[in-house]
Amino acid sequence: MSRSPLNSVAVLGGGVAGWMTAAALARVLPGACAIRVVDTADGAPRGALSTLPALRGFHGLLGLNEPALMRAARGTFKLGARYSGWTDEDHVEGFSDAGANLDGVAFHHHWLRVRERGEAGRYEDYSLAAVAARLGRFAPPSEDPRSVLSTLSYGQHLDAAGYVAALRATAGRVEARSGEIAQVALAPDGRIAAVILADGERIAADLFVDTTPDGRLIGATPDAGWIDESTALPCDRLALREVAPRANPPPLTEFEAIAEGWLRRVPLRGGDAVALAYAGNLTSDEAAREILGGEAAIVRLRNGRRERVWTGNCVAIGPAASQLEPLNGDDAQSVQSGVGRLIALLPTADGSPLAAMEYNRLMAEEHDRARDMAVFRYVAAARSDPLWARSRQAAPSPALAYKQAQFESRGRVVLYDEETFVEGAWVAAFLGHGILPRRHDRLADRLPADQADAALARLRGLIRQAAQAMPLHADALKDRP
Amino acid sequence: MTDQAVRNILIVGGGTAGWMTAAALSAKLAGLPIAIRLVESAEIGTVGVGEATVPHIRHFNAALGLDEADFMRRTQATYKLGIEFRDWGKPGDSYIHPFGAYGAAIAGVGFHHHWLRARQGGDATPLEAYSLPIMAARQGRFAPPSPDLSSVASTYNYAYQFDAGLYAAYLRAYAEARGVVRTEGKVADVALRGGDGFIEAVTMESGERIEADLFIDCSGFRGLLIEQALKAGYEDWTRWLPCDRAAAVPCETVEISTPYTRCTADTAGWRWRIPLQHRVGNGYVYSSAHISDDDAAAALLAGLEGKAQADPRFLRFTAGHRRKQWSRNCVAVGLASGFLEPLESTSIHLIQVAVTTLLELFPDRGCDPADQDEYNRVMNLEFERIRDFLVLHYHANQRTGSPFWDDRRNLPIPDSLAYKMDLFRDRGVVVKYKDGFFLEPSWLAVYLGQNVVPRAYDPVSDSVPDAVLAQRLKAIRDSVADTAGAMPAHDDWVARFCAAAPVNAAQAVRA
């Protein structure tokens, strides 16, 4: 009744996707299953990662010690992301929900109501993470639910190369080598029979994981169509460079929209990793380097996803599976869930087409919902430069159009299956980018207006006070080396 | 903006749906200048089929601030730990769909995979030995769950079995105390406004004309407002759920009042048994194409454990839902919005979801089409997901040689269900969605209870050595058995905590 278990897994590509995959599989798969990684030159990690708090859960499963990881990857803390240049005002989306439910009604309805009557401040003024981040301050969340510090959550900024080194160190039993892919040999049924490397070595495995940047393996299989999303997301290049650190970098990833695209700044220990996303046919690489102020590595980007990220005995994880302009601050999220779902639907040696079908459904949903968040930022941008105007020629997905219409109507956040971003994140993004509902929840009116005014004013003061009492980010990093 | 605010609401129809709606609106809209009226006629009987509930009802009651013991006394309620399904897989089979999980994940892998692995290795222990609510239910025991999340005694939830008529009366008192105005009488006419076709007013047989900004149709199957006046249309699911009638009859209690509802498969449908404090509710849900009313009633009466307290009452229905459960300024709640047979006790749950969603999307007088769209999306999804779960019960049967059951097994099922079943059969994967009422333990209960067994288990289970697994399984089993055995008898707990006053014969016959 039981089927033949996997005896061997080969991960081709390496890099962040390859090593996250290998490290997780090494934890979970029985010792009898061999795991090999082939690091290809173009898979080498570059630049920095701006991650969500959920990635720390993944590290927990790997037994990756946080201080050690932060040291190895020049890590800094991340309380959220700041967006400037997108609309008239900049805003911060913090990793703590704003405010609190009052009288059973979501906070943003109270904020809208108080705002209609007078002074309510910015929505982010009610998010401790956002306020602290703007002040350049950081503290870990409190375990005491009565403390306002318990609303905090944090992600990390990691140097990609250092992160891979840390992952390698936890993946003890994984056998690794460098090599270049010369040929992908297919069996008559379309499955991968072997990958032949440039030096002639033939890699055979029950399961191949494609973590190459361009999908060399999955692209060779018959079933690997690519859904292109480059109209709504127009940037097809990233220029990467590192600049001198700031004395006290805010625990934030900063995204600044400019005429040519957008700039991202990620603070690392010892320097800031900056990136420019732009469109190659509107801005030359040279012009991109000029904007960044010096030499920069150029990386190609292809917004979209595979129709099927798992076909036959080949699973694509990371850029081979899907690519998005990294403007949500959710780097490594699709890898984390790609690996997690692979483990949950682990195939047998003879293949599991039904598991693959379910995997493809889940990964497609997840990508599409994260893509909607990225597309939304373009839709909401108040810019008319050629690149920005071009992005608006694409109609948003029906799912995004509905979600935005629902929020505009009455502040309702529609959540679909496999959303990376939950209600609070969408509210912060909508309101931050200037989308205001036409009306607030009538049930908010149960609270007498003067009480609502006073409650919000008090909350704002409390949060500001708590943020000001937190250590500077630079000091927090020194204290937790 | 404020001049567009809803000022008054008219609920048409009482019953469980009408009074649950009135109670929830009066509680949640308190403090706002909104008048709530309800019209109902004592001449029109209520259906009250949904006497068994699911655990979400506890949230509803808690949101109203109801005192549990008082509510149980006043509604002749008993506790419910799950539903027993008899004869659904093969004749003679019995399984309980519990309100709680089986075992606990081991090495990050769902418990049922380890159970499947042990089973393939020759361990014949049934899955239910790892479920505390099932073990307690089988022994007729009950105690409320422990708040200590590390204890096995916290691994379940519970619902109630109550007299829906008494529940409606209880909520009526609650709603009237909070300002809901009740008017006795029948609706004679519904007037639509020119232009947008919104409902303007209803005219009562007394001649009184009642206007409102928002109408809630709780008039039952006929859908007086939503269908007769607004022609919302009906999505008919008879092809998947062909039962279209029910016969219902209460009887005297003979056995102990079990802390679970029982659904027994029968020739052309299934029979329910719902034990309350003062009586047992019974019914037969059947397909009129496969059995006559007389034969159904005879089968129902023949299966009673005690003396019938009335003649069987007959109900007719069509499985499905209104295409628009919210249309213009009218929201349908309860049977007016659609019908799914109460095989999984979802009737009252659907009322609860409707009222909760309405409050989440509470409109202004314009009834923004965006609000209607979202309400209909949420409710349609809720109906569809429950539908698939119900169809699974019918489809996964091995009752060969009976025309009704052979059809259920052989005729096509919804694609969405076929997909879920394929995944489960392949390797025990329970497909999950964000929305939808039934979660993994529910699907496991029915799949495995009706002999839908995966061909393989999750291979990651093999990372746990055999001896370690055997030890863990035994530890869970023992702790479940010990905890269940230490619970008080359900009847004793009811007597101690919430015993209702005895009912006189006249009241007991109340249909």
Side-chain angles (χ1 to χ4, degrees), chain A residues 346 358 402 412 417 439, chain B residues 360 370-371 374 419 427 434:
Chain A
L346 199 69
E358 174 68 351
Y402 185 78
R412 165 94 165 175
D417 291 330
R439 54 186 232 275
Chain B
E360 279 177 17
D371 295 345
E374 176 65 355
Y419 182 78
R427 41 149 326 130
K434 184 185 116 0

Side-chain angles (χ1 to χ4, degrees), chain B residues 5-347:
Chain B
V6 165
R7 299 155 302 190
N8 40 51
I9 301 173
L10 180 65
I11 301 168
V12 174
T16 320
W19 287 113
M20 280 179 74
T21 304
L25 294 184
S26 68
K28 292 294 164 186
L29 301 177
L32 296 175
I34 300 176
I36 305 171
R37 278 185 79 168
L38 184 149
V39 296
E40 68 173 338
S41 166
E43 286 174 42
I44 302 173
T46 57
V47 172
V49 162
E51 292 175 322
T53 59
V54 293
H56 288 51
I57 189 78
R58 294 175 59 207
H59 298 295
F60 186 83
N61 287 352
L64 297 186
L66 303 185
D67 175 78
E68 187 179 50
D70 183 56
F71 141 75
M72 292 187 72
R73 276 193 294 270
R74 303 256 306 258
T75 60
Q76 298 283 349
T78 58
Y79 293 96
K80 178 179 173 192
L81 291 168
I83 304 174
E84 183 196 11
F85 290 91
R86 280 196 182 171
D87 303 337
W88 280 80
K90 301 182 295 292
D93 282 358
S94 161
Y95 70 93
I96 289 181
H97 167 194
F99 296 140
Y102 295 97
I106 303 172
V109 175
F111 180 81
H112 69 284
H113 293 287
H114 299 291
W115 176 80
L116 285 166
R117 177 181 155 206
R119 191 170 180 268
Q120 289 184 11
D123 179 346
T125 312
L127 185 63
E128 67 177 38
Y130 301 95
S131 163
L132 179 56
I134 300 183
M135 288 294 99
R138 290 276 188 214
Q139 298 172 45
R141 296 179 187 278
F142 178 82
S146 161
D148 174 5
L149 295 182
S150 64
S151 158
V152 67
S154 72
T155 60
Y156 64 98
N157 203 335
Y158 67 89
Y160 312 105
Q161 305 167 122
F162 57 60
D163 182 326
L166 295 178
Y167 186 54
Y170 188 60
L171 294 181
R172 174 181 162 185
Y174 176 97
E176 287 185 317
R178 280 160 186 77
V180 173
V181 174
R182 175 187 180 275
T183 302
E184 166 72 34
K186 283 189 187 166
V187 171
D189 186 49
V190 181
L192 303 187
R193 177 161 96 189
D196 58 15
F198 277 36
I199 299 174
E200 194 169 62
V202 300
T203 305
M204 307 299 292
E205 282 183 349
S206 66
E208 187 189 4
R209 180 182 155 90
I210 306 175
E211 294 186 359
D213 296 328
L214 181 66
F215 291 83
I216 317 287
D217 187 347
C218 299
S219 65
F221 294 126
R222 63 202 176 121
L224 187 66
L225 308 182
I226 196 81
E227 191 60 55
Q228 293 181 16
L230 297 181
K231 314 278 184 251
Y234 201 77
E235 181 73 32
D236 185 332
W237 286 340
T238 305
R239 64 193 179 285
W240 294 309
L241 294 169
C243 287
D244 57 352
R245 290 191 195 180
V249 68
C251 77
E252 288 172 3
T253 303
V254 175
E255 300 173 28
I256 57 166
S257 60
T258 52
Y260 57 89
T261 298
R262 179 181 299 146
C263 297
T264 306
D266 209 324
T267 316
W270 57 278
R271 286 179 287 117
W272 78 73
R273 172 188 183 267
I274 303 172
L276 312 181
Q277 290 192 41
H278 62 319
R279 63 173 164 84
V280 176
N282 306 276
Y284 187 175
V285 173
Y286 56 95
S287 158
S288 62
H290 294 84
I291 194 172
S292 70
D293 289 350
D294 287 349
D295 288 350
L300 173 63
L301 293 170
L304 296 184
E305 67 194 68
K307 189 166 163 266
Q309 292 178 325
D311 290 331
R313 279 195 325 126
F314 292 92
L315 309 162
R316 294 170 178 233
F317 44 78
T318 305
H321 63 84
R322 303 273 174 230
R323 292 223 165 81
K324 287 182 173 178
Q325 303 187 43
W326 180 344
S327 175
R328 297 176 211 174
N329 61 339
C330 174
V331 180
V333 176
L335 299 174
S337 71
F339 182 84
L340 287 170
E341 55 192 81
L343 183 57
E344 283 285 353
S345 312
T346 49
S347 306

Side-chain angles (χ1 to χ4, degrees), chain A residues 1 3 28 345-346 354 358 361 402 406 409-410 412 414-417 438-439 442 445-446, chain B residues 1 6 27-28 30 34 120 360-362 368 370-371 374 377 419 426-427 431 433-434 455 460:
Chain A
M1 185 120 171
R3 302 177 204 169
V28 169
L345 292 165
L346 199 69
L354 283 163
E358 174 68 351
R361 177 183 78 86
Y402 185 78
Q406 282 294 323
S409 159
R410 46 117 64 235
R412 165 94 165 175
V414 175
L415 292 178
Y416 304 101
D417 291 330
R438 288 190 293 277
R439 54 186 232 275
R442 178 92 191 274
D445 294 345
R446 283 165 39 122
Chain B
M1 171 154 182
V6 165
K28 292 294 164 186
I34 300 176
Q120 289 184 11
E360 279 177 17
L361 293 168
F362 195 78
D368 190 334
D371 295 345
E374 176 65 355
R377 184 187 74 88
Y419 182 78
D426 184 48
R427 41 149 326 130
V431 177
Y433 300 99
K434 184 185 116 0
R455 286 184 287 271
V460 179

